[in-house]
């Protein structure tokens, strides 16, 4: 089954959940810093940012929360041949569908799938810049998990860990995006 089928089903579910519970839900924006890297490698993490919107439908002990956000991912490393620094940055649109479990009034744990769409790429090495995205999957499927804390005045803070199921590309076999996000 092509990736576009999964993408359409996932986005349809997000929009359907948003429309079904519009009267008893809460919309919001989320922004923060991220530290991203790739699995099975010895490269260093790269700082980035993320910003987006969500819609939370409270259903008692748990809540359903579809969202969409711009997210920067990537890493810093050394070239295998020369040892000189390389930088890789990927810009994605992430669409998570979270299930939040409200264990206490202020604290919740969440988990869910995430679909990510590659928007752009920038590879830098000694003045050389490559922005070609053809060798990279345009759609990634992964998972999200974390903890959230409700603050006064309708604010909340959360720590999230995202990991992709897809290999990054033939350039990086058996390597997947992984990101730690801190959001307000």
């Amino acid at each position: 089954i092509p990736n576009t089928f999964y993408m359409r089903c996932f986005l349809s579910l997000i929009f359907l959940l948003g429309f079904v519970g519009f009267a008893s839900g809460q919309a919001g924006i989320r922004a923060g810093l991220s530290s991203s890297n790739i699995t099975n490698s010895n490269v260093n993490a790269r700082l980035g940012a993320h910003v987006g919107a969500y819609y939370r439908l409270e259903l008692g002990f748990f809540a359903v929360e579809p969202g969409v956000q711009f997210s920067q991912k990537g890493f810093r490393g050394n070239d295998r041949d020369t040892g000189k620094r390389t930088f890789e940055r990927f810009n994605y649109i992430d669409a998570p569908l979270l299930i939040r479990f409200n264990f206490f009034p202020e604290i919740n744990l969440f988990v869910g799938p995430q679909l990510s769409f590659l928007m752009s790429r920038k590879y830098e090495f000694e003045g050389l810049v490559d922005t070609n995205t053809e060798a990279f999957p345009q759609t990634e499927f992964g998972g999200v998990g974390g903890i959230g804390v409700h603050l006064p005045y309708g604010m909340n803070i959360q720590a999230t860990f995202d990991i992709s199921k897809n290999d990054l590309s033939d350039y990086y076999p058996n390597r997947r995006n992984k990101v730690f996000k801190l959001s307000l």
Side-chain angles (χ1 to χ4, degrees):
I1 299 176
N3 280 340
T4 56
F5 172 77
Y6 292 118
M7 178 176 61
R8 287 180 187 157
C9 289
F10 187 76
L11 289 175
S12 296
L13 181 60
I14 287 174
F15 290 118
L16 178 63
L17 288 171
F19 288 124
V20 167
F22 192 77
S24 62
Q26 172 191 359
I29 57 173
R30 179 170 291 124
L33 295 175
S34 57
S35 175
S36 62
N37 207 331
I38 55 176
T39 61
N40 302 321
S41 70
N42 62 353
V43 296
N44 297 314
R46 182 158 189 184
L47 289 178
H50 60 278
V51 62
Y54 64 89
Y55 181 79
R56 183 175 304 150
L57 175 60
E58 294 290 343
L59 300 170
F61 174 70
F62 71 97
V64 177
E65 185 182 290
V68 63
Q69 63 185 347
F70 169 79
S71 180
Q72 293 180 320
K73 302 174 186 178
F75 57 90
R76 305 178 285 130
N78 295 323
D79 183 70
R80 282 182 247 159
D81 300 326
T82 65
K84 295 184 179 181
R85 301 294 289 165
T86 62
F87 299 93
E88 186 85 69
R89 165 86 65 209
F90 301 98
N91 293 318
Y92 286 90
I93 298 295
D94 292 337
L97 178 60
L98 305 178
I99 304 296
R100 290 186 179 271
F101 298 96
N102 302 311
F103 291 108
F104 301 101
E106 299 84 21
I107 299 174
N108 61 75
L109 297 177
F110 56 89
V111 66
Q114 176 171 277
L115 199 56
S116 299
F117 307 99
L118 180 62
M119 302 307 291
S120 64
R121 168 186 174 252
K122 185 176 182 182
Y123 172 82
E124 298 176 64
F125 174 68
E126 295 221 328
L128 169 73
V129 175
D130 181 9
T131 58
N132 189 344
T133 61
E134 291 177 13
F136 296 87
Q138 301 302 301
T139 305
E140 283 188 354
F141 184 74
V144 179
I147 185 169
V149 177
H150 295 290
L151 302 173
Y153 307 109
M155 303 286 286
N156 62 63
I157 189 168
Q158 72 179 33
T160 308
F161 182 73
D162 304 0
I163 190 160
S164 175
K165 179 187 155 293
N166 306 66
D167 284 353
L168 200 49
S169 75
D170 290 339
Y171 294 129
Y172 307 112
N174 299 315
R175 290 173 173 81
R176 297 168 178 87
N177 280 317
K178 62 180 181 177
V179 185
F180 175 76
K181 296 176 181 171
L182 190 58
S183 308
L184 182 65

